[in-house]
Amino acid sequence: MYPIVDHEVLAPRVHRLRVQAPVVAEKAKPGQFVILIIDEKGERVPFTISDWDRDAGTVDFVFIEVGKTTQQLATLQPGDRLLSFIGPLGRAAEVDRYGHVVTVLSGYGIAATVPIIRALKEHGNTVTTIVQAPDKERLFGVHPLEELSDDLILALGTKGDGMMESTTVAIRKLLDAHPKKPVDRVIAMCSLCLMRVLSEMTRPLGIKTMVHLTPVMVDGTGMCGACRLSVGGTNRFACVHGPEFDGHEVDGWEVLMARRCTYADESILQQGFQCRGCSQW
């Protein structure tokens, strides 16, 4: 059993849990994830690691209430326990000295990208961070991003396509200044549609664009095949070959988005989350 040691509400329906999991904390790296089970009747659900403390043996992750399991997680308090907490899983994010790196974040990615940005800074990079949120009320996690980023851009907009538009305007300004003010790499952990759009925006400029893809996962070891996707014309599994991929090589965006909609149940749709085309979740 894995005790909950802290629970913080970051924004409406957005929570951070800190779990006592020394083995996971000891081996965690930026960009990796865990799969947990709440109790004996629970489902296996993946969450990207947002922080860890090796000395304390704790692991943090951020989630948004969108369905039965995340709503149940939102009720847990310090002292409650998880039945299973497996990780770290997946490949760590690629981190090196690139130069000027632009990170584009939304949702849980606002917190989950912090370890990646921290590692990028440790390697001597200049980091510009663009944060996408519907409005100020649902914006969270700004403080660590301000501390780590050389420049922080808040792309706030209305729910739906307007939110994506405000973000693409911000990235377009940076790309228009390239190569006089070069952008050497883009890292995105945001909506599928926005990651796809960003990949197409940077493709003509030859700017390496890494996207973090988290399709439906079950076992987290590549055995079930639920998280398969096509990258460079080859089948890959997000849980073992990812979750980070070169966005220019992903050639199955339509399938990824269609499969995500397939698994959206009524409880999610009733909360106003859209699942059509390139609308935002």
Side-chain angles (χ1 to χ4, degrees), residues 192 213 215 227-229 250 252-261:
L192 278 175
L213 303 178
C227 65
R228 68 187 180 278
L229 65 155
V250 176
W253 290 105
E254 295 88 352
V255 175
L256 279 171
M257 288 188 282
R259 289 177 68 212
R260 180 165 187 169
C261 292

Side-chain angles (χ1 to χ4, degrees), residues 127-273:
V127 178
T128 297
T129 298
I130 301 174
V131 178
Q132 176 198 59
D135 48 52
K136 288 185 178 180
E137 288 186 358
R138 284 173 282 185
L139 178 65
F140 64 91
V142 172
H143 181 63
L145 295 174
E146 286 178 330
E147 287 189 332
L148 292 169
S149 305
D150 296 275
D151 190 17
L152 178 63
I153 301 170
L154 302 182
L156 306 181
T158 57
K159 186 176 182 181
D161 292 334
M163 206 163 58
M164 184 178 70
E165 181 180 353
S166 63
T167 311
T168 54
V169 168
I171 189 70
R172 173 53 64 194
K173 289 180 179 179
L174 293 172
L175 295 181
D176 284 346
H178 178 86
K180 182 178 293 186
K181 294 182 179 179
V183 174
D184 300 293
R185 197 176 185 91
V186 173
I187 299 173
M189 195 182 298
C190 46
S191 70
L192 278 175
C193 187
L194 181 54
M195 287 190 285
R196 180 184 186 181
V197 170
L198 289 173
S199 297
E200 293 309 315
M201 291 176 70
T202 58
R203 188 190 300 275
L205 299 173
I207 300 171
K208 188 89 163 182
T209 300
M210 306 303 291
V211 296
H212 285 251
L213 303 178
T214 53
V216 174
M217 297 181 186
V218 180
D219 66 7
T221 63
M223 297 294 290
C224 71
C227 65
R228 68 187 180 278
L229 65 155
S230 179
V231 180
T234 303
N235 280 333
R236 288 288 181 262
F237 301 107
C239 65
V240 292
H241 300 115
E244 184 181 72
F245 295 95
D246 186 334
H248 299 161
E249 295 184 0
V250 176
D251 45 28
W253 290 105
E254 295 88 352
V255 175
L256 279 171
M257 288 188 282
R259 289 177 68 212
R260 180 165 187 169
C261 292
T262 298
Y263 291 101
D265 59 30
E266 287 189 18
S267 65
I268 294 175
L269 299 177
Q270 287 172 358
Q271 294 177 60
F273 291 92

